[in-house]
């Protein structure tokens, strides 16, 4: 049945005054495909009490053949999103819905695709626009359609005399659409934006940005990253692209400093951002400053205000995961992946948070089921990581080797698994093709498993010299675990606290003022990370009883540093059986992420303490086996390592001990 002919809307004249509100838009290239629109009309439940009109925008039919005009629909979406009366379906979400309908690759959201998506998603108003050139004049037409009843609602026509006038044309088209959808004129005026000011005045830059977002939504991240950079080359003050580029810099291992610099520049270019984008800026501002509790509070406020917004939801899940809020991050990650199952890269975080909370076996089961369903290289690599974290190190290595994943991150996980098995040469070979910060820091971790402190520090220092790397805190964590507390303390400057688990390092170097401030900010909630920092702080302060009590409580099979410190405190208290149990659990998994800087050194010390406990328990043969394992791992260790000397001395002592049958 044909749609009825669309009426042409005549919109009453508008006063010339406008509110200029720049938009700082969202974010997280690596997660741009994760649509979190949680409503459903005809299939997607809407949040209770939300009565806004659901709107979707198809790609403009570009009849001019000018590629710079291919992204005009994105500008219109950004403008319409400022309305409190409309719920605008993002283009990324439309791509997700196309996949759900079984269409794996729809390069354009044309009218037929948009109609199908609109019916599936309960869209009440589908906007179909075209742009053509008539002589020297650009003519744009927008038709509003109800896709469920297949009826046209209204038509809007606008003209522009030259290409640079197309941005004001988008402004007018957005305003007239909102008025036609019965939004009061005063509300439109109060929230309208000029896309030239809010987004960019450079249509070529926006074309690259639009393409980058499209590529990201299709999980083609390397190509997307290059397009964001091209957008910034054409408009260095493009705030939307800067925010995305800041997150990409951080996600891709290019360093906190570069990410923070890009983000600060984006914030300067978007000083009058509207509510949602201002909330995103506050989230990132607190996160990049290491103010995790403040960032979490902003996430909660933004989520309450924009419960179905994909940028708010995806950034919130990632920031919570990296800030130590594993308990809160996990349901956010699960919710996200249920809506965007193609986003396999986020599953690394999901299995990591499960392991951190003592649920590593669940992570393996989940990863196995996903790998059967999806069988992508990344999904298979996630299975390898899940097995590493669950203590099946050989199985994890095998899964990573056969995954087909060739990216730096997957190879880093493989290298760490190999190093945990003492296969140092193979581990270094796994990351040899890569030269980014992730590879450099992984080499240092691998070398730590071999006791090669000088080489490891050299790799870290080389990585730290890269512009914007800001690795001083990582180097400090590495050094303090290796026993060089004084050198670590010198590296810990007031502005270097960032990643979760650095609280443990700060406790060990004795930075009491900053630890107290950090714990005060985190509050008194029973969060695993905060409890571990409190326990290590008590241990460092000499309160072994309090430390042991808290460590027993937080060490519930989690893949964290808790079992190591539990064993350490128990060994010092003469509780040898308890110490052995904790240390054996600490030995099983291959540690990944920020903790991996410290774990190789802690494993060597744990094995020394295990041997001492076994000796006291009258089990010298077992003690010898533990020492022999570590000495074999450290056969190429720095000769002047104090811990190496202790290992050798105890092994020599045990040579004179009688065997216990």
């Amino acid at each position: 049945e044909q749609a009825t002919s669309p009426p042409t809307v005549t919109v009453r004249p508008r006063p010339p005054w406008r509110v200029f509100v720049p938009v700082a838009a969202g974010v997280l290239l690596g997660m741009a495909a994760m649509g979190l629109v949680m409503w459903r009309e005809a299939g997607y439940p809407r949040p209770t009490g939300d009565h806004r009109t659901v709107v979707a925008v198809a790609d403009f039919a570009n009849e001019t053949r000018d590629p710079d005009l291919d992204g005009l629909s994105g500008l219109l979406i950004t403008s319409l999103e400022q309305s409190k009366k409309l719920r605008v379906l993002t283009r990324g979400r439309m791509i997700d819905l196309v996949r759900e309908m079984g269409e794996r690759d729809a390069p354009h959201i044309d009218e037929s695709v948009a109609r199908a998506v609109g019916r599936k998603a309960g869209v009440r108003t589908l906007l179909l626009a075209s742009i053509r050139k008539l002589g020297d004049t650009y003519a744009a037409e927008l038709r509003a359609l109800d896709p469920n009843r297949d009826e046209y609602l209204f038509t809007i026509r606008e003209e522009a005399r030259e290409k640079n006038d197309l941005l004001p044309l988008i402004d007018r088209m957005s305003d007239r659409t909102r008025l036609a959808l019965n939004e009061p004129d005063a509300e439109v005026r109060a929230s309208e934006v000029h896309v030239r000011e809010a987004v960019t005045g450079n249509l070529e830059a926006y074309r690259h940005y639009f393409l980058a977002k499209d590529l990201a939504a299709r999980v083609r991240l390397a190509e997307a990253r290059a397009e964001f950079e091209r957008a910034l080359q054409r408009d260095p003050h493009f705030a939307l692209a800067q925010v995305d580029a800041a997150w990409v810099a951080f996600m891709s291992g290019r360093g906190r400093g570069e990410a923070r610099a890009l983000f600060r520049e984006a914030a300067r270019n978007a000083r009058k951002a509207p509510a949602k984008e201002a909330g995103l800026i506050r989230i990132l501002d607190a996160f990049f400053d290491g103010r995790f509790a403040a960032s979490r509070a902003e996430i909660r406020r933004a989520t309450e205000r924009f419960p179905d917004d994909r940028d708010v939801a995806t950034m919130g899940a990632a920031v919570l995961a990296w800030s130590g809020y594993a308990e809160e991050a996990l349901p956010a990650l699960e919710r996200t992946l249920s809506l965007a199952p193609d986003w396999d890269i986020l599953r690394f975080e999901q299995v990591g948070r499960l392991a951190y909370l003592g649920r590593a076996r669940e992570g393996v089961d989940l990863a196995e089921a996903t790998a059967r369903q999806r069988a992508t290289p990344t999904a298979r690599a996630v299975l390898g990581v899940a097995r590493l974290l669950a203590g099946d190190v050989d199985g994890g290595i095998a899964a990573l080797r056969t995954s087909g994943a060739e990216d730096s991150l997957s190879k880093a996980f493989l290298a760490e698994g190999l190093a945990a098995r003492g296969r140092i040469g193979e581990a270094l070979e796994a990351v040899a093709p890569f030269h980014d910060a992730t590879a450099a820091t992984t080499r240092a971790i691998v070398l730590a498993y071999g006791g090669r402190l000088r080489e490891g520090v050299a790799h870290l220092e080389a990585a730290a010299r890269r512009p914007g790397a800001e690795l001083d805190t990582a180097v400090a964590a590495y050094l303090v675990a290796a026993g060089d507390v004084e050198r670590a303390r010198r590296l810990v400057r007031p502005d270097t606290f960032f990643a979760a688990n650095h609280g443990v390092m700060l406790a060990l170097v004795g930075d009491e003022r900053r630890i107290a401030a950090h714990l005060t900010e985190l509050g008194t909630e029973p969060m695993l990370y905060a409890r571990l920092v409190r326990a290590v702080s008590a241990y460092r302060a000499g309160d072994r009883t309090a430390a042991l009590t808290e460590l027993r409580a937080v060490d519930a099979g989690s893949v964290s540093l808790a079992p190591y410190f539990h064993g350490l405190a128990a060994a010092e208290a003469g509780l040898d059986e308890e110490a052995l149990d904790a240390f054996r659990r600490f030995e099983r998994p291959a540690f990944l992420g920020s903790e991996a800087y410290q774990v190789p050194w802690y494993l060597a010390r744990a094995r020394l303490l295990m041997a001492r406990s076994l000796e006291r328990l009258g089990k010298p043969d077992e003690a010898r086996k533990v020492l022999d394992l570590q000495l074999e791992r450290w056969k190429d260790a720095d000769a002047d390592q104090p811990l190496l000397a202790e290992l050798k001395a105890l092994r020599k002592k045990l040579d004179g001990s009688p065997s216990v049958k």
Side-chain angles (χ1 to χ4, degrees), residues 245-404:
W247 197 269
V248 173
F250 178 68
M251 287 284 292
S252 61
R254 288 160 59 185
R256 175 198 175 199
E258 181 180 348
R260 185 164 61 174
L262 281 166
F263 172 70
R264 297 294 187 229
E265 181 65 20
R268 283 192 292 272
N269 291 328
R271 289 185 295 271
K272 298 180 180 178
K276 183 185 81 175
E277 287 74 17
L280 294 176
I281 288 174
R282 289 193 296 270
I283 290 169
L284 281 180
D285 187 39
F287 177 60
F288 281 126
D289 279 348
R291 295 179 289 111
F292 301 143
S295 183
R296 178 200 195 194
E298 292 295 344
I299 290 168
R300 287 177 168 177
R301 279 192 282 272
T303 301
E304 183 178 352
R305 173 74 188 275
F306 303 100
D308 64 346
D309 186 85
R310 60 195 305 252
D311 291 334
V312 170
T314 55
M315 183 193 293
V319 169
L320 287 169
W322 288 320
S323 300
Y325 295 100
E327 296 88 341
E328 198 166 332
L330 186 56
L333 292 166
E334 291 170 347
R335 180 181 174 210
T336 299
L337 285 165
S338 70
L339 293 167
D342 285 357
W343 198 252
D344 291 323
I345 194 169
L346 198 59
R347 298 183 193 279
F348 286 121
E349 288 298 332
Q350 185 184 34
V351 299
R353 294 318 99 195
L354 283 166
Y356 193 85
L357 295 173
R359 299 162 58 185
R361 186 63 243 176
E362 288 181 51
V364 173
D365 293 343
L366 186 61
E368 286 177 343
T370 302
R372 285 194 299 270
Q373 294 166 1
R374 297 189 43 71
T376 66
T378 302
R380 291 193 291 263
V382 170
L383 174 57
V385 167
R387 287 176 175 167
L388 291 177
L389 293 170
D392 179 10
V393 178
D394 293 331
I397 291 169
L400 283 161
R401 279 202 184 281
T402 59
S403 68

Side-chain angles (χ1 to χ4, degrees), residues 174-195:
S174 172
D175 289 352
R176 292 179 65 187
T177 298
R178 292 169 64 179
L179 291 167
L181 292 172
N182 299 316
E183 185 169 352
D185 184 84
E187 293 186 17
V188 174
R189 285 203 311 271
S191 59
E192 67 184 350
V193 297
H194 276 177
V195 292

Side-chain angles (χ1 to χ4, degrees), residues 37-56 85-89 93 97 100-101 114-126 145-149 308 339:
V37 179
M38 297 301 293
W39 46 271
R40 189 184 306 245
E41 292 180 16
Y44 288 83
R46 298 180 63 171
T48 303
D50 193 329
H51 303 295
R52 290 178 288 175
T53 299
V54 181
V55 175
K85 300 292 185 182
L86 306 179
R87 296 168 64 92
V88 185
L89 195 66
R93 182 56 182 157
L97 291 169
E100 289 182 22
M101 293 186 296
R115 281 174 178 259
V117 169
R119 286 190 289 268
K120 179 177 178 63
V123 169
R124 293 305 189 201
T125 303
L126 174 62
L145 172 76
D146 182 334
N148 297 297
R149 294 185 297 172
D308 64 346
L339 293 167

Side-chain angles (χ1 to χ4, degrees), residues 557-571:
S558 67
V559 179
S560 74
L561 299 178
Y564 168 74
F565 286 105
H566 180 186
L568 190 63

Side-chain angles (χ1 to χ4, degrees), residues 548-575:
L548 189 55
T549 299
E550 184 71 356
L551 286 164
R552 284 169 176 158
V554 299
D555 176 13
S558 67
V559 179
S560 74
L561 299 178
Y564 168 74
F565 286 105
H566 180 186
L568 190 63
E572 292 183 5
L575 303 171

Side-chain angles (χ1 to χ4, degrees), residues 367-620:
E368 286 177 343
T370 302
R372 285 194 299 270
Q373 294 166 1
R374 297 189 43 71
T376 66
T378 302
R380 291 193 291 263
V382 170
L383 174 57
V385 167
R387 287 176 175 167
L388 291 177
L389 293 170
D392 179 10
V393 178
D394 293 331
I397 291 169
L400 283 161
R401 279 202 184 281
T402 59
S403 68
E406 297 296 331
D407 59 282
S408 172
L409 183 62
S410 297
K411 293 300 184 182
F413 291 145
L414 172 61
E416 290 172 24
L418 289 165
R421 276 288 183 259
R423 295 155 66 177
I424 305 302
E426 291 178 68
L428 292 173
E429 185 179 346
V431 291
F434 302 97
H435 303 284
D436 57 10
T438 297
T441 54
T442 300
R443 290 185 187 98
I445 292 166
V446 169
L447 290 165
Y449 276 104
R452 295 155 64 178
L453 176 62
R454 283 191 293 273
E455 287 181 76
V457 170
H459 279 287
L460 282 174
E461 289 177 340
R465 284 193 294 271
R466 297 181 182 186
E470 293 196 14
L471 283 172
D472 282 354
T473 309
V475 180
Y478 189 88
L479 288 170
V480 75
D484 194 345
V485 177
E486 288 305 318
R487 189 175 175 189
R489 186 179 290 117
R490 290 194 297 271
L491 288 170
V492 182
R493 301 190 309 272
D495 63 341
T496 55
F497 183 85
F498 183 54
N501 288 320
H502 284 174
V504 172
M505 183 271 298
L506 288 175
L508 292 174
V509 300
D511 195 335
E512 296 178 4
R513 181 186 62 80
R514 291 177 66 195
I515 280 296
H518 184 50
L519 291 174
T520 298
E521 183 190 26
L522 290 175
T524 58
E525 295 181 54
M527 186 176 70
L528 178 62
Y529 165 66
R531 295 178 70 186
L532 178 59
V533 175
R534 292 188 188 98
V536 176
S537 297
Y539 174 82
R540 175 66 172 73
D543 190 348
R544 301 293 195 265
T545 301
L548 189 55
T549 299
E550 184 71 356
L551 286 164
R552 284 169 176 158
V554 299
D555 176 13
S558 67
V559 179
S560 74
L561 299 178
Y564 168 74
F565 286 105
H566 180 186
L568 190 63
E572 292 183 5
L575 303 171
D576 291 316
E577 294 285 4
E578 184 176 345
L580 286 168
D581 175 68
F583 284 141
R584 283 167 178 155
R585 284 185 286 101
F586 182 63
E587 277 190 301
R588 280 201 295 269
F591 282 76
L592 308 170
S594 61
E595 291 174 320
Y597 290 109
Q598 300 154 281
V599 166
W601 307 112
Y602 291 158
L603 273 173
R605 191 167 289 109
R607 287 172 180 144
L608 174 66
L609 295 173
M610 289 172 70
R612 287 175 178 167
S613 289
L614 288 164
E615 180 191 22
R616 286 193 293 267
L617 291 170
K619 301 177 180 180

